[in-house]
């Protein structure tokens, strides 16, 4: 296994002066390819903050962020946009599909936005992914016509669309009932086993943490 | 950017009621723009037609001869010369020019004329008249006598005369009766009243008589030459350019109609300015409407924009999506507004033939392409601010929600 992501002395402080809130205080972490890791910690400990930084959606206050041997701390918005399009998939707690688009259109978005159009190849892969997450019969449904669990499975398919090395999931089951949560986690586990994709999943659910091969605990701004 | 186009279209069709309302608003603005263009343009045509329709667009005369030129320069003599109203300054070379001028593109009619003053005499009654001798086939070339004939016909021969209705009334004349026309030269001819016209211009209706060129030659003792050339143009707004060109080409004096109608031109200009003001307001309304609607849409779609950014959409892509929406709204609203404008204005009679008291709307002057172009440009400009706001949406701030 090779190193996929490495952060060193990661510091994130929200706000300035009197209202400055230090959240991450010199955090160090390494993720390897093919890992399935749970991110645990009390509410407010900085799990979402860490995922956001790892997802290149936000810059750390200081420290180093490397992925695929690239230093992302110094990259500009354009480079980061392209980087996360190619290498990072996201699954959020609140699904966040594009409501006016079908399940299939949502899944192929990351490829289409890069190519500038929806290619036949992209559509084929989108169908394949939707089949795989068990939604082969819901391809042409609008996002708003899907249940919470179905939306989350569409989001997982979308996260996998560009075959990213890393999928970041922020409480992907937080909004789902027990059965749907199990389904989603089974799916993630299966994909992780079959492909080289690494998953980092923040959760409060110890059951889900147990499914993961590694547990990372954030406590007081660093990894315990 | 086919994909950006797809997203923009989907955003517009996703909320049909709102988009429909927005496009309707733009179309109404475009309609106002087109209506104002057609009305102001029509009014101008109407007024110019009423004022200039029956006069020449360019009048060519021999340059007034300067008496002193006949004497050596600085001869020390002071010469006073009273302008002789009976003596015609004849264009003896006109015959050579006429075919050339007639062949000039943009010239629609050329009428060589002999003009002079005289009196109509019927029994004890006399009335002063301006006599215009024209070629019989060009009797309607300048003043449209043919269309405004009230009795008799416009045929001119060597023994008849056409008079204005009010002049005929003053002398108690009817078609077919004989009247004597005495020229300022003292020559006199008996002529039959061949037709009565009513042009609506008092100067013509109560003080002028039209005779054939040959009758005028006799009356004014002018066996050759002519006294002026009246010219009509296809586009009367070009009169000044043509006058300048014709003067340069022929060495004669050429006077455009605008020279004697400065007030009318000022009025038309003021009218056009106020029309432009209203059109400007229509455009501003369109821009504000589109900008606010898109800004609202940007705000409503913040979470989606954030997610698109997280999925790899560049800021440029987001800007493109919103500017494209603005463009499509402008273009669609423009096309619909222009179509409605054309449909609504078409039933109006053209100002040239509009009945007195009607709205002189000129459907040809709707400025449709200008309206569509300006509206589209306006809508594009209006979408820039919302598009930039959309591109600046921070994914982090909306993903947690
Ligand atoms: N934009 C922000 N501005 C200021 N403070 C923030 C901001 N975002 C997060 N914080 C603070 O940073 C801390 C960590 O927040 P974060 O969302 O990373 O925690 P978390 O571990 O994901 O919590 P939870 O388990 O409840 O989701 C919190 O105390 C929060 O108040
Ligand atoms: Mg969180």
């Amino acid at each position: 296994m090779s190193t996929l992501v490495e952060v060193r002395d990661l510091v994130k402080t929200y706000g300035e002066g009197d209202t400055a809130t230090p959240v991450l205080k010199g955090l160090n972490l390494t993720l390897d390819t093919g890992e399935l890791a749970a991110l645990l910690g009390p509410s407010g400990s900085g799990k979402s903050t860490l995922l956001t930084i790892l997802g290149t959606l936000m810059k750390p206050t200081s420290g180093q962020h490397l992925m695929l041997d690239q230093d992302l701390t110094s990259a500009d918005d354009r480079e980061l946009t392209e980087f996360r399009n190619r290498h990072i998939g996201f699954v959020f707690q609140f699904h966040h599909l594009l409501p006016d688009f079908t399940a299939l259109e949502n899944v192929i978005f990351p490829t289409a936005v890069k190519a500038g159009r929806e290619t036949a190849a992209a559509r084929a892969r989108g169908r394949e992914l939707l089949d795989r997450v068990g939604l082969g019969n819901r391809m042409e449904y609008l996002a708003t016509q899907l249940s919470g669990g179905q939306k989350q499975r569409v989001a997982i398919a979308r996260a996998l669309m560009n075959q990213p090395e890393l999928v970041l999931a922020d409480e992907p089951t937080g909004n789902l009932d027990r059965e749907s949560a199990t389904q989603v986690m089974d799916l993630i586990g299966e994909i992780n086993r079959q492909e080289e994709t690494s998953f980092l999943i923040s959760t409060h659910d110890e059951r889900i943490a147990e499914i993961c091969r590694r547990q990372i605990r954030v406590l007081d701004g660093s990894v315990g | 950017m086919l994909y950006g186009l797809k997203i923009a279209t989907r955003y517009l069709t996703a909320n049909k009621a709102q988009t429909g309302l927005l496009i309707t608003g733009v179309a109404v603005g475009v309609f106002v723009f087109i209506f104002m263009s057609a009305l102001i343009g029509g009014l101008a045509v109407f007024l110019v037609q009423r004022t200039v329709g029956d006069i020449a667009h360019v009048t060519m005369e021999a340059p007034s001869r300067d008496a002193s030129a006949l004497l050596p320069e600085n001869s020390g003599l002071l010469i006073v010369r009273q302008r002789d109203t009976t003596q015609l300054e004849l264009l003896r070379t006109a015959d050579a020019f006429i075919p050339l001028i007639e062949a000039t593109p943009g010239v629609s009619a050329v009428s060589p004329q002999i003009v002079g003053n005289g009196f109509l005499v019927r029994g004890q009654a006399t009335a002063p008249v301006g006599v215009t001798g024209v070629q019989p086939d060009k009797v309607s070339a300048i003043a449209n006598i043919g269309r405004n004939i009230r009795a008799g016909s416009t045929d001119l021969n060597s023994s008849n005369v056409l008079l204005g209705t009010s002049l005929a009334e003053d002398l108690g004349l009817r078609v077919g009766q004989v009247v004597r026309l005495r020229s300022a030269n003292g020559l006199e001819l008996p002529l039959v009243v061949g037709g009565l016209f009513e042009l609506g211009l008092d100067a013509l209706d109560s003080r002028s008589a039209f005779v054939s060129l040959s009758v005028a030659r006799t009356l004014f003792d002018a066996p050759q030459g002519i006294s002026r050339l009246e010219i009509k143009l296809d586009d009367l707004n070009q009169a000044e350019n043509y006058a300048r060109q014709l003067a340069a080409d022929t060495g004669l004096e050429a006077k455009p109609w605008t020279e004697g109608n400065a007030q009318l031109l000022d009025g038309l200009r003021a009218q056009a300015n106020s029309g432009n003001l209203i059109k400007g307001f229509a455009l501003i309304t369109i821009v504000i409407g589109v900008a606010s609607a898109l800004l609202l849409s940007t705000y409503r779609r913040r979470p989606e924009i954030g997610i698109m950014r997280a999925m790899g959409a560049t800021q440029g892509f987001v800007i493109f999506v919103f500017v494209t929406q603005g463009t499509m709204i402008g273009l669609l609203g423009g096309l619909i507004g222009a179509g409605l404008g054309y449909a609504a204005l078409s039933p109006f009679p053209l100002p040239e033939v509009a009945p007195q008291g009607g709205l002189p709307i000129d459907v040809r002057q709707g400025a449709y392409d200008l309206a569509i172009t300006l509206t589209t440009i306006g809508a594009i400009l209006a979408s820039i601010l919302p598009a930039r706001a959309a591109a600046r949406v921070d994914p982090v701030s909306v993903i947690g929600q």
Side-chain angles (χ1 to χ4, degrees), chain B residues 36-341:
Chain B
M36 280 319 291
S37 300
L39 180 62
I40 298 293
L43 264 173
V45 170
F46 181 79
L47 289 175
V48 168
Q49 189 74 24
R50 281 292 138 108
T51 323
V52 191
D54 288 320
I55 66 173
H57 297 160
V58 178
T59 305
M60 298 185 69
E61 289 171 334
S64 38
R65 251 169 287 152
D66 194 350
S68 65
L70 300 172
L71 293 162
E73 292 273 334
N74 305 323
S75 60
L77 280 170
L78 183 66
I79 296 175
V80 178
R81 180 173 178 268
Q82 187 178 11
R83 196 175 164 83
D84 184 346
T85 50
T86 61
Q87 182 61 46
L88 295 166
E89 304 214 20
L90 292 171
L91 295 177
R92 296 195 193 282
T93 52
D95 287 348
F97 293 135
I98 292 171
L100 278 177
I101 297 171
E102 274 176 333
T104 308
V107 170
S108 61
V110 180
S111 173
Q113 301 171 353
I114 290 180
V115 292
N117 294 317
F119 292 94
L120 277 179
V121 184
R122 188 185 185 224
Q124 300 295 328
T126 63
V129 283
V131 180
T132 307
V134 296
Q135 292 176 346
D137 58 329
K138 289 194 171 154
V139 69
S140 295
I142 306 299
N144 197 340
I145 292 172
R147 205 177 74 189
N148 296 292
I149 197 91
R150 293 288 172 266
S153 78
T154 56
D155 295 337
L156 276 181
N157 53 41
S158 56
S159 63
N160 66 4
V161 60
L162 305 180
L163 301 175
T165 43
S166 32
L167 179 60
E169 237 165 68
D170 289 348
L171 294 172
L173 279 169
R174 281 200 305 273
V175 172
Q177 295 184 322
V178 177
V179 65
R180 303 188 71 80
L181 181 50
R182 183 192 304 147
S183 77
N185 298 38
L187 294 163
E188 195 173 304
L189 280 176
L191 296 167
V192 177
V193 178
L196 300 177
F197 56 83
E198 187 174 354
L199 291 164
L201 288 171
D202 193 52
L204 290 172
D205 290 347
S206 66
R207 283 195 301 279
S208 62
F210 286 83
V211 295
S212 72
L213 206 53
S214 57
V215 169
R217 286 197 194 288
T218 313
L219 279 173
F220 297 105
D221 191 19
Q224 300 152 3
I226 52 164
S227 43
R228 71 177 183 202
L229 273 180
E230 287 200 329
I231 296 169
K232 277 230 157 163
L233 303 171
D234 292 334
D235 180 3
L236 56 82
N237 297 314
Q238 295 296 319
E240 284 171 24
N241 294 337
Y242 274 91
R244 210 173 306 122
Q245 190 59 42
L246 289 170
D249 290 350
T250 60
L252 304 174
E253 264 178 20
K255 231 174 80 176
W257 67 271
T258 45
E259 230 167 75
N261 290 283
Q263 279 177 331
L264 172 67
L265 291 174
D266 282 348
L268 291 178
R269 218 166 286 134
Q271 218 173 60
N273 287 343
S274 44
N276 286 337
L277 204 68
I278 295 174
K279 288 192 261 179
F281 279 125
L283 281 177
I284 290 172
T285 312
I286 290 174
V287 169
I288 291 176
V290 172
S292 60
L294 282 180
L295 213 53
L296 220 68
S297 153
T298 305
Y299 192 76
R300 218 160 34 78
R301 295 192 184 275
R302 275 164 55 84
E304 290 168 63
I305 296 163
I307 217 74
M308 287 200 283
R309 293 278 290 124
M311 297 296 139
T314 58
Q315 289 192 318
F317 181 83
V318 175
I319 288 179
F320 180 85
V321 166
F322 278 85
V323 170
T324 303
Q325 288 183 67
T327 313
M328 291 199 284
I329 288 166
L331 203 59
L332 268 175
L335 286 171
I336 293 172
L340 287 179

Side-chain angles (χ1 to χ4, degrees), chain A residues 52 57-58 77 81 84-85 90 92 94 96 98-101 105 109-110 112-113 116-118 158, chain B residues 2-3 6-7 10-11 14 301 304 307-315 317 396 398-401:
Chain A
T52 310
L57 294 172
M58 180 169 70
D77 182 78
T81 301
R84 67 174 174 265
N85 179 267
F90 292 94
F92 304 104
F94 301 103
H96 286 305
L98 305 176
D100 301 315
F101 292 78
E105 287 170 329
F109 182 89
V113 79
R117 63 199 191 88
E118 288 177 335
R158 179 178 64 183
Chain B
L2 220 60
Y3 193 56
K6 173 178 173 154
I7 303 227
R10 186 67 58 85
Y11 276 5
R301 295 192 184 275
E304 290 168 63
I307 217 74
M308 287 200 283
R309 293 278 290 124
M311 297 296 139
T314 58
Q315 289 192 318
F317 181 83
V396 181
V398 291
I399 281 166
Q401 291 165 6

Side-chain angles (χ1 to χ4, degrees), chain A residues 3-6 33 66-71 83 87 165:
Chain A
T3 302
L4 177 63
V5 181
E6 190 177 357
T33 48
L66 300 162
M67 182 169 167
L68 293 165
D69 296 325
Q70 283 188 51
D71 184 357
F83 186 89
H87 303 296
E165 285 83 354

